[in-house]
Amino acid sequence: MKAKVYGIPGSHPVKAAMLMLEHKGIEATRTDLPNVVCRPVLRAMGFPGPTVPAVKIDGRRVQTTRSLARVLDELRPDPPLFPSDPALRTKVEEAERWGDEVLQGVPRRLSFSSPMRRNKSDFAEFFEGPLLGLPPSVAVACAGPLFAAGARVNKATDDAVRGDLAALPGMLDHVDALIGEGVIGGVQRNAADFQIASSLRILMCFDDIRPAIEGRPAERLAREVAPSYPGHVRPGLPADWLALLRPVAA
Ligand SMILES: N[C@@H](CCC(=O)N[C@@H](CS)C(=O)NCC(=O)O)C(=O)O
């Protein structure tokens, strides 16, 4: 069985999809499209939704990381992405849902935030190869309107990103607690491991954010589940935004 994965450069849900396919031992090829432009292209290719990962596998078109995890378990049950114990499965599914609905948006909004758009050239490092035939540095240099459109469609306003920064320490505490409870970070990797670790791992590519994760169980999880992540974004957040990441000690 082989899979064709459509993505956008640097996308952490696409990273999660690639890691889940690797976990299943399914060979996958990846083709990246520009953000926003991917939407009509995916529609034209017969995918029902606008987002990546968009995966062609076994004659099916699958979108969203959560659907993909379930389709993969159906197509190739071993090794599983969900535990067979029903109580543990419920906890893994809840962690996976939180990872998708809450944590996943944080690096996405940060990437399109106004301070990070000033570091636009750094994003060339996230490319896995040419994009529509253009070398990464050229593609990024032309991508100003796509970054602006990405900010709009992802609602990456300054207020939203400041809210994310203020919430991030609590989210990292939640990840550490899930690891402590054995819901994620176990020997047998599950769908929530891939969902959560891919978001943490891209956050660690941002010089401004990495110190908040370093030294935590969350860092170990991210490095173990997603050992490599191309790309590195230099500091760019204003000091008063960064202060939100460091709650004042009681
Ligand atoms: N939560 C979904 C959606 C993922 C998602 O929103 N992906 C972003 C890239 S990180 C996307 O497709 N954006 C479309 C665009 O930028 O136009 C999943 O886990 O698959």
Side-chain angles (χ1 to χ4, degrees):
M1 193 184 316
K2 288 187 178 174
K4 279 185 117 174
V5 180
Y6 296 92
I8 63 175
S11 164
H12 47 304
V14 175
K15 180 75 171 178
M18 297 301 288
L19 289 170
M20 290 193 288
L21 285 157
E22 188 185 314
H23 174 76
K24 292 287 188 181
I26 297 174
E27 199 186 317
T29 54
R30 172 173 176 166
T31 305
D32 280 344
L33 300 161
N35 67 298
V36 182
V37 172
C38 68
R39 295 168 177 243
V41 176
L42 293 173
R43 285 279 161 81
M45 286 195 295
F47 285 99
T51 59
V52 297
V55 182
K56 285 188 186 172
I57 187 166
D58 193 45
R60 306 190 201 188
R61 286 173 170 73
V62 186
Q63 274 172 301
T64 82
T65 44
R66 278 154 78 189
S67 297
L68 181 66
R70 285 151 185 81
V71 168
L72 291 180
D73 259 10
E74 194 188 314
L75 294 176
R76 186 168 289 182
D78 277 317
L81 279 162
F82 294 95
S84 51
D85 174 70
L88 187 53
R89 180 176 178 124
T90 302
K91 288 186 179 180
V92 168
E93 288 190 315
E94 172 51 24
E96 182 203 27
R97 186 203 58 75
W98 176 84
D100 180 13
E101 293 178 4
V102 182
L103 182 64
Q104 197 191 87
V106 174
R108 186 178 298 121
R109 285 185 289 273
L110 179 69
S111 302
F112 289 113
S113 65
S114 57
M116 288 301 147
R117 293 208 304 277
R118 287 192 279 276
N119 285 348
K120 185 160 66 73
S121 59
D122 292 4
F123 287 86
E125 287 183 26
F126 287 95
F127 285 48
E128 314 261 337
L131 188 70
L132 304 181
L134 295 173
S137 56
V138 177
V140 162
C142 308
L146 290 180
F147 273 87
R152 266 195 314 280
V153 298
N154 292 298
K155 302 186 172 59
T157 60
D158 289 359
D159 274 355
V161 176
R162 280 194 295 257
D164 287 338
L165 294 171
L168 191 58
M171 293 189 203
L172 295 171
D173 287 345
H174 183 57
V175 173
D176 289 348
L178 289 170
I179 296 169
E181 285 168 38
V183 178
I184 55 174
V187 181
Q188 178 64 58
R189 303 235 160 104
N190 63 47
D193 282 309
F194 294 114
Q195 180 66 246
I196 291 173
S198 55
S199 290
L200 296 172
R201 196 65 187 79
I202 191 173
L203 283 171
M204 288 167 58
C205 296
F206 289 84
D207 284 354
D208 281 328
I209 309 293
R210 195 169 46 254
I213 304 176
E214 275 170 339
R216 284 175 172 266
E219 179 193 11
R220 187 177 45 77
L221 175 85
R223 291 197 187 280
E224 283 178 7
V225 176
S228 68
Y229 208 109
H232 160 247
V233 185
R234 73 201 117 123
L237 294 178
D240 58 324
W241 292 31
L242 276 175
L244 297 164
L245 255 181
R246 300 188 204 100
V248 182

